[in-house]
């Protein structure tokens, strides 16, 4: 439910030069499974939006918020606020989850949603997208949850715009530009992009039903998926860090092993997803030439 929170500051030494800024009152919503940095309870409350920035107009764009994970969990869906702009109708969007790797000082892709085409009824609302690759996250990690679009006209007039909420501290809002460079906004406002850890998909259970390994990993020209039990039917998808599908193949006959060529892929991390009637398996694959 909704709760009001009141803060009051006092000093025990020295003189307070401004007695008018010692109190602050705000509201917070407690949910069973959703994290949110923004302060919106419905899409109609949005007072602004972001679609891109001037040096990146018309190019792919991803933007979202930093969250602190408190327990081991799995992100099953991502809620995204679609701004009330007519140009959003019919455009394709997606969501992604990254986790910060303190050893290499970088964010690593943990999972992404299915691509979704915005309908007229969804413009100006907050929608929920199912994870195509469920994102496992762990206690004490910082995660970056983003909404993205693939760009459009060079002048940016048809770039998808996402809702934002109240002002938040700097380095709470991060994203990626069209060439995959990470950036953060100065004087940012919280983006309406929220991880949902329990939207009823049962992804953790399904993910355990397929036992598979990948080798070699890292790989240069080719890697193989080896299944513990024979797979008769499946959809194999490989996506890059920008959420783009770089390879997809249907399996329609019994196999114990399946190979994918990577010679033409750029260096980096990729997410492999095997979806079969018996369940889903996701694995990370690194390409190094």
């Amino acid at each position: 439910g909704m709760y009001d929170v009141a803060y009051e500051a006092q000093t025990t030494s020295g003189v307070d030069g401004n007695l008018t800024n010692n109190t602050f009152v705000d509201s917070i919503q407690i949910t069973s499974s959703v994290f949110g940095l923004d302060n919106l309870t419905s899409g109609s409350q949005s007072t602004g939006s972001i679609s891109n920035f001037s040096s990146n107009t018309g190019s792919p764009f991803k933007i979202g918020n930093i969250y602190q994970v408190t327990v081991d969990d799995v992100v099953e869906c991502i809620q995204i606020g679609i701004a009330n702009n007519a140009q959003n109708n019919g455009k394709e969007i997606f969501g992604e989850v990254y986790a910060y790797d303190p050893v290499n000082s970088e964010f690593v892709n943990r999972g992404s949603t299915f691509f979704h085409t915005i309908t007229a009824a969804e413009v100006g609302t907050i929608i929920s997208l199912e994870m195509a690759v469920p994102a496992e996250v762990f206690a004490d990690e910082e995660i970056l949850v983003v909404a993205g679009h693939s760009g459009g006209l060079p002048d940016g007039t048809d770039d998808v715009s996402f809702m934002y909420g109240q002002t938040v501290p700097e380095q709470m809002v991060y994203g990626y530009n069209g060439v995959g460079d990470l950036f953060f906004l100065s004087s940012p406002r919280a983006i309406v992009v929220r991880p949902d850890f329990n939207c009823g998909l049962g992804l953790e259970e399904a993910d355990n039903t397929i036992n598979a390994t990948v080798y070699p990993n890292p790989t240069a020209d080719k890697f193989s998926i080896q299944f513990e039990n024979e797979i008769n039917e499946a959809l194999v998808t490989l996506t890059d860090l920008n959420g783009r599908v770089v390879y997809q193949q249907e399996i329609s006959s019994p196999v114990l092993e399946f190979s994918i060529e990577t010679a033409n892929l750029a260096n980096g991390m990729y997410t492999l997803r095997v979806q079969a009637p018996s369940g889903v398996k996701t694995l990370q694959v690194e390409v190094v030439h």
Side-chain angles (χ1 to χ4, degrees), residues 227-289:
F227 301 104
E228 184 177 274
N229 300 308
E230 198 171 70
I231 294 290
N232 298 306
E233 178 184 352
L235 178 65
V236 180
T237 305
L238 191 68
T239 57
D240 65 14
L241 287 179
N242 291 316
R244 298 186 181 93
V245 175
V246 298
Y247 177 90
Q248 192 169 72
Q249 179 67 47
E250 290 187 11
I251 295 175
S252 56
S253 58
V255 295
L256 275 172
E257 191 168 306
F258 187 83
S259 297
I260 297 177
E261 300 286 340
T262 58
N264 295 325
L265 296 181
N267 288 344
M269 295 297 299
Y270 293 81
T271 299
L272 174 70
R273 172 183 168 87
V274 180
Q275 183 175 4
S278 58
V280 177
K281 184 68 176 180
T282 58
L283 297 162
Q284 298 293 318
V285 180
E286 184 176 10
V287 175
V288 180
H289 295 298

Side-chain angles (χ1 to χ4, degrees), residues 57-134:
T57 53
S59 297
F61 179 70
K62 294 186 283 191
I63 190 75
N65 309 312
I66 297 288
Y67 296 99
Q68 182 77 37
V69 179
T70 56
V71 296
D72 295 357
D73 215 327
V74 176
V75 179
E76 295 188 0
C77 294
I78 297 178
Q79 295 182 4
I80 298 175
I82 310 300
N84 191 20
N85 296 331
Q87 70 191 44
N88 291 334
N89 184 25
K91 298 300 193 308
E92 193 174 66
I93 62 169
F94 59 90
E96 292 179 334
V97 178
Y98 294 82
Y100 185 69
D101 176 4
V103 175
N104 297 305
S105 300
E106 64 181 6
F107 285 98
V108 178
N109 186 284
R110 287 281 175 81
S112 58
T113 69
F114 291 100
F115 282 86
H116 175 78
T117 300
I118 301 168
T119 67
E122 291 171 336
V123 173
T125 68
I126 299 171
I127 66 174
S128 181
L129 301 187
E130 175 184 341
M131 297 294 290
V133 180

Side-chain angles (χ1 to χ4, degrees), residues 206-228:
D207 193 56
N208 291 328
T209 61
I210 297 178
N211 292 319
T213 56
V214 169
Y215 72 92
N217 191 13
T219 183
D221 299 323
K222 181 174 72 173
F223 70 87
S224 296
I225 315 162
Q226 188 171 51
F227 301 104
E228 184 177 274

Side-chain angles (χ1 to χ4, degrees), residues 40 43-44 46 48-49 81-83 124-126 161-165 190-192:
L40 305 188
S44 62
S46 180
S49 64
I82 310 300
T125 68
I126 299 171
S161 51
F162 302 111
M163 294 178 186
Y164 55 48
I191 311 301
V192 185

